[in-house]
Amino acid sequence: MSFASDVMAPGGGILLIPFVRIVVTLLLICTICIFVAGIARIHMAILSFLSAGLLFSIQFFESAYNKVKNGSSSHSTTQSTTQSTTQRRGEKTD
């Protein structure tokens, strides 16, 4: 499949995370440089803060996504263990 069809497929946006991280990092660098140069200081300070927050949120999302993706195989073993434990105890009747 082509990259465009992979990106447009459901869940394909994950492939764009490295690209988005690079673009937001460049935005952060530019806004910090412009802040240091003294042009529109308050605006650049706010944009730098927002860019840093966006980088943090992208990193947080990626780590949560990887945790879920890697934990899916361990989840199936936990589920089967829980089912066997429940079967040993028997059904609860009230």
Side-chain angles (χ1 to χ4, degrees):
M1 279 192 190
S2 69
F3 180 73
S5 62
D6 287 343
V7 169
M8 294 305 198
I14 281 298
L15 299 173
L16 294 177
I17 287 181
F19 175 73
V20 171
R21 181 177 288 143
I22 290 169
V23 170
V24 174
T25 302
L26 291 174
L27 174 67
L28 180 62
I29 291 168
C30 287
T31 54
I32 289 173
C33 289
I34 295 171
F35 175 79
V36 170
I39 303 170
R41 284 184 157 249
I42 190 69
H43 294 88
M44 293 304 121
I46 292 170
L47 282 173
S48 296
F49 175 76
L50 292 174
S51 298
L54 185 56
L55 277 174
F56 175 74
S57 68
I58 290 171
Q59 189 271 331
F60 178 76
F61 171 77
E62 189 176 20
S63 67
Y65 176 79
N66 287 335
K67 188 185 302 182
V68 168
K69 185 177 176 184
N70 295 337
S72 63
S73 61
S74 66
H75 176 67
S76 63
T77 58
T78 304
Q79 186 177 13
S80 64
T81 304
T82 305
Q83 287 175 350
S84 64
T85 305
T86 306
Q87 290 172 354
R88 276 187 272 145
R89 286 190 218 150
E91 292 296 322
K92 187 175 181 181
T93 57
D94 287 337

